[in-house]
Amino acid sequence: MLITSILILFCYSFSALLIFKNIGKAGKTLRWLYLSPALMGIVLQAFLLSSLIYPQNGLINLGFFSALCLISWLVSVQILISSLYRPMESLGIIMFPFSGLTSVIASVIPPSQPVSLVSDQFIHGHIMVSVIAYSLIMLSALQAIALAYQDHSIRSHHPGGFIRYLPPLHDMETLLFQMLGFGFIFLSTALISGFFFVDDLFAQHLVHKTVLSII
């Protein structure tokens, strides 16, 4: 897995370097040429995540570094998809190398004790959907902070620093609502599927979690 993770880091970093050197200069065709290494990194990271999260039959590993690797992968996928129709690739200058770095760390550091589950794939799916929902909503919060800072900098007539490398304000806002939309869909799916495993909502101490999630 270490060799795979190093290759992932190389693909992501090479793509980020190409984007940084040609930011604002490339059309749609050349933009996708710069994103091609990142696409390869995303595919390789998906295979790596499969090995990290499901180390053995009936086990699931969602330790800190495995979950961080999954979250960074989701962000990279979101950036790549958004770049299909908007110039959002500049977000990958930082995110792509970070995603590759999490792959290396997750491969090097021994995983925490995996959780033993029954072989029911429905339960596995419920857990993964829940983690993805949490990740997307957390990312939406971070995106909202970045958007607020960008808006404040523009209104204050100080659009310097890393603000210059961010996509236009409209595109950043569109990405925020895309993340919120996907987060809402995944969280709703997680809540609906979770009710199949509830025997007694009060006895299992799930009332506060369920109510807060629904809100």
Side-chain angles (χ1 to χ4, degrees), residues 43-160:
V43 174
L44 291 173
Q45 193 175 14
F47 285 106
L48 179 68
L49 281 168
S50 177
S51 301
L52 288 172
I53 295 176
Y54 297 103
Q56 301 174 29
N57 291 332
L59 296 177
I60 184 170
N61 171 39
L62 282 174
F64 177 79
F65 292 107
S66 297
L68 186 63
C69 187
L70 174 62
I71 293 171
S72 63
W73 178 76
L74 288 170
V75 180
S76 299
V77 170
Q78 179 69 33
I79 292 173
L80 200 68
I81 293 176
S82 299
S83 298
L84 280 170
Y85 45 91
R86 286 187 176 85
M88 306 291 291
E89 70 278 1
S90 59
L91 295 175
I93 295 175
I94 295 177
M95 195 61 232
F96 287 160
F98 177 77
S99 189
L101 189 61
T102 60
S103 300
V104 174
I105 294 174
S107 299
V108 171
I109 297 180
S112 57
Q113 183 64 35
V115 178
S116 179
L117 297 172
V118 295
S119 58
D120 189 350
Q121 294 300 315
F122 190 74
I123 299 178
H124 287 220
H126 166 71
I127 293 174
M128 290 305 301
V129 169
S130 301
V131 172
I132 292 173
Y134 158 77
S135 303
L136 288 171
I137 293 174
M138 183 189 71
L139 291 171
S140 299
L142 295 176
Q143 174 73 0
I145 294 173
L147 180 63
Y149 179 72
Q150 184 182 19
D151 180 69
H152 175 74
S153 298
I154 292 175
R155 291 178 184 274
S156 302
H157 305 289
H158 297 293

Side-chain angles (χ1 to χ4, degrees), residues 162-183:
F162 81 99
I163 294 296
R164 294 175 299 174
Y165 299 104
L166 291 177
L169 197 65
H170 176 267
D171 292 338
M172 288 284 286
E173 187 178 48
T174 301
L175 181 62
L176 171 62
F177 282 101
Q178 284 178 351
M179 287 183 178
L180 286 172
F182 283 122

